[in-house]
Amino acid sequence: MIKKLLLMGMLLGAVRAGAQTYTPTADNLAARQNFQDMKFGLFIHWGIYSELGAGEWVMNEKHISYDSYKRLADFFNPQAFNAHEWVMFAKKAGMKYITITSRHHDGFSMFGTKASPYNIVDATPYHKDPLMELAQECVKEGIELHFYYSLLDWGRKDYAFGSPIVDGKPVNGDWDSYINFMKAQLTELITKYPGVKGIWFDGHWERDVNWHYDEIYGLIHKLNPAILVGNNHHLEPKEGEDFQMFEKDLPGANTTGFSGKSKIGALPLETCETINNSWGFNITDRSFKSSKRIIHYLVNAAGLNANFLLNIGPMPNGKIQPEFTDTLAIVGAWVQKNGEAIYGTRGSGIPAQPWGVITQKDKNLYVHVMTLPQLPYVFIPQLKGKVTKAALLADGSAVKFKQQTEGVFVYLNGIATDPNDTIIKLTTN
Ligand code: JFZ
């Protein structure tokens, strides 16, 4: 038994020694800082599934065969798509980057690709590449672009969805062929589209295979070392990844049950959430989140040192439904006014309080009071440094405070509160 353990330990050691260690370049580290500064992004789930108005899992959930589903491509013709409108929608909402599905689990590529004919340019009457238009528009408007890319594919023969897995490969598929296909597409996405800054992987959890991440991440970083790689595997970050993501949960929370194994690591953090209850366009889903709830999600994420990636599912004609534009116009107006306490901040390390959170930038702390307390003050524990000034961010008016060894009391009596978030800026020395 002991011998066996020793042997195993040696083997593990050898594997570890053999694995390449990833050292991010200076450009990559700068990209991570910039990513953290942006704080707010737009997630877009858009594909031929939008035609059925039942989310991006509709093929799987309704047991639609690949051949029948493929027919959706014949009718996909988003004549009303306008890249400028989408980018301006994001900008107006106060978002600094867009992460869009280039290919989801249905296997349909929403970009022009030589690696498969099953793509928007070659297989639909639209014959245009919306992701190219979006990429060019993003560069023009100073918005960063990231591509979501599915590892899981319900249709391809080489992927062989449903096949038993032996030795890290699907026995009924051709795993090498599938890995090469993904590498070809990722090369296109990184080299052809201007300004792409990140790749957001998803689908890892579908099967227990060898995903060849060393090769895939290695290829991405070879093509462009500054690209930020993230993977929605719901595990701790793996070698070669540049940020850690959480799905439908703030870092540290696990309301979904997906996040139990994703201990918070040292990489930049991002959490994604839907504007209603769906990722892809869903015609019956009317559970729209209020602007207040979205603002609170953004502020809470920032307080935990994380970005917030808010998802919308555009309609099959290429338009964004008015409920989303209305809500995000309100969110945008709020963020434009209060951006100083969001953009470029980091978590303060002070834990969330019943009334809200604290963000930090340089020597300033931003106290976000989202739930007004019963007593007319908030108490901030564990504050380092001496507070020299407290002022309402909205108008600069002085706010009373008292600092003691155990923390700072900030008095709210008589101040003009904001129904979303009353922000008090503390200057420390
Ligand atoms: C995944 C996708 O399946 C989904 O369509 C969407 O793109 C979202 C952002 O990411 O969602 C998941 C992934 C894994 C689990 C649940 C939802 N899981 O492991 O339970």
Side-chain angles (χ1 to χ4, degrees):
M1 177 69 184
I2 289 178
K3 239 184 173 171
K4 222 177 179 176
L5 279 177
L6 266 176
L7 192 70
M8 260 174 65
M10 271 160 64
L11 276 173
L12 276 175
V15 169
R16 249 185 242 128
Q20 298 152 308
T21 45
Y22 166 56
T23 312
T25 61
D27 280 354
N28 184 283
L29 294 175
R32 292 182 189 185
Q33 289 295 330
N34 182 57
F35 177 68
Q36 288 187 290
D37 287 346
M38 296 192 297
K39 281 288 164 317
F40 196 18
L42 178 66
F43 206 0
I44 302 179
H45 274 68
W46 197 41
I48 54 176
Y49 46 75
S50 62
E51 288 179 75
L52 298 179
E56 76 289 356
W57 272 75
V58 62
M59 173 177 165
N60 181 273
E61 282 169 358
K62 295 232 162 99
H63 308 289
I64 305 173
S65 74
Y66 186 52
D67 284 341
S68 304
Y69 185 86
K70 257 166 59 179
R71 202 165 280 166
L72 290 175
D74 301 341
F75 327 132
F76 194 64
N77 198 359
Q79 288 295 327
F81 169 74
N82 181 319
H84 182 69
E85 269 176 30
W86 283 20
V87 173
M88 293 324 278
F89 164 83
K91 242 182 147 168
K92 199 171 156 219
M95 292 152 162
K96 305 289 188 192
Y97 65 109
I98 294 177
T99 305
I100 186 165
T101 47
S102 58
R103 176 171 145 274
H104 206 267
H105 310 334
D106 64 355
F108 186 79
S109 298
M110 288 294 282
F111 62 104
T113 171
K114 299 266 178 299
S116 158
Y118 195 38
N119 74 72
I120 187 159
V121 178
D122 297 317
T124 74
Y126 189 57
H127 292 307
K128 286 190 281 187
D129 185 342
L131 298 200
M132 184 56 85
E133 288 175 36
L134 194 68
Q136 288 165 346
E137 197 59 36
C138 280
V139 170
K140 223 190 270 168
E141 294 295 335
I143 292 287
E144 266 199 30
L145 184 64
H146 294 199
F147 285 131
Y148 168 109
Y149 191 81
S150 177
L151 297 158
L152 155 60
D153 191 301
W154 290 322
R156 285 182 63 96
K157 286 210 169 69
D158 50 4
Y159 186 89
F161 182 63
S163 163
I165 308 292
V166 175
D167 291 335
K169 298 175 180 184
V171 286
N172 305 327
D174 181 347
W175 199 233
D176 289 343
S177 149
Y178 185 69
I179 298 290
N180 284 332
F181 159 73
M182 290 201 292
K183 282 161 75 176
Q185 286 210 315
L186 289 162
T187 303
E188 292 177 324
L189 288 171
I190 290 164
T191 57
K192 265 179 52 190
Y193 294 78
V196 176
K197 299 275 178 5
I199 302 287
W200 205 104
F201 286 104
D202 190 22
H204 168 96
W205 33 265
E206 194 270 321
R207 46 173 54 179
D208 191 11
V209 286
N210 177 359
W211 288 106
H212 295 259
Y213 288 135
D214 47 350
E215 269 172 66
I216 292 175
Y217 295 173
L219 170 72
I220 294 171
H221 286 137
K222 197 180 84 196
L223 294 171
N224 182 350
I227 290 218
L228 301 180
V229 171
N231 190 324
N232 191 28
H233 44 46
H234 304 155
L235 303 165
E236 280 177 49
K238 294 178 187 292
E239 189 78 30
E241 293 172 5
D242 302 298
F243 67 101
Q244 181 178 11
M245 57 178 79
F246 297 84
E247 183 181 336
K248 288 176 112 32
D249 257 319
L250 290 167
N254 186 17
T255 60
T256 53
F258 309 152
S259 309
K261 291 186 190 143
S262 32
K263 235 177 50 203
I264 303 172
L267 297 178
L269 309 174
E270 178 188 78
T271 175
C272 58
E273 180 54 292
T274 48
I275 195 164
N276 48 6
N277 271 334
S278 315
W279 299 103
F281 175 58
N282 188 319
I283 202 160
T284 54
D285 184 351
R286 301 199 58 84
S287 40
F288 309 116
K289 292 184 180 66
S290 65
S291 52
K292 185 173 183 168
R293 216 168 134 196
I294 292 164
I295 291 167
H296 283 190
Y297 210 93
L298 172 66
V299 173
N300 280 319
L304 288 165
N305 206 27
N307 285 12
F308 179 34
L309 185 63
L310 176 66
N311 181 79
I312 58 155
M315 297 186 286
N317 64 352
K319 287 275 179 208
I320 297 166
Q321 64 192 83
E323 292 89 347
F324 300 168
T325 18
D326 291 352
T327 303
L328 285 183
I330 300 169
V331 172
W334 187 89
V335 190
Q336 311 288 1
K337 213 171 79 201
N338 298 286
E340 181 187 333
I342 307 278
Y343 304 125
T345 63
R346 295 294 181 271
S348 58
I350 300 169
Q353 301 295 311
W355 45 263
V357 297
I358 299 115
T359 56
Q360 183 172 13
K361 184 161 57 190
D362 307 321
K363 294 203 164 205
N364 301 314
L365 291 172
Y366 299 92
V367 179
H368 296 261
V369 184
M370 289 178 278
T371 308
L372 285 172
Q374 297 266 294
L375 295 167
Y377 65 82
V378 293
F379 175 68
I380 302 137
Q382 302 172 25
L383 193 150
K384 291 179 206 101
K386 188 177 171 342
V387 177
T388 55
K389 194 180 157 192
L392 195 64
L393 183 68
D395 62 7
S397 59
V399 173
K400 267 186 260 154
F401 69 96
K402 182 172 77 184
Q403 186 160 24
Q404 298 184 168
T405 39
E406 63 274 27
V408 177
F409 293 86
V410 174
Y411 297 94
L412 306 171
N413 2 17
I415 72 170
T417 54
D418 178 311
N420 291 306
D421 175 15
T422 305
I423 305 170
I424 296 127
K425 177 176 175 176
L426 304 182
T427 309
T428 65
N429 65 1

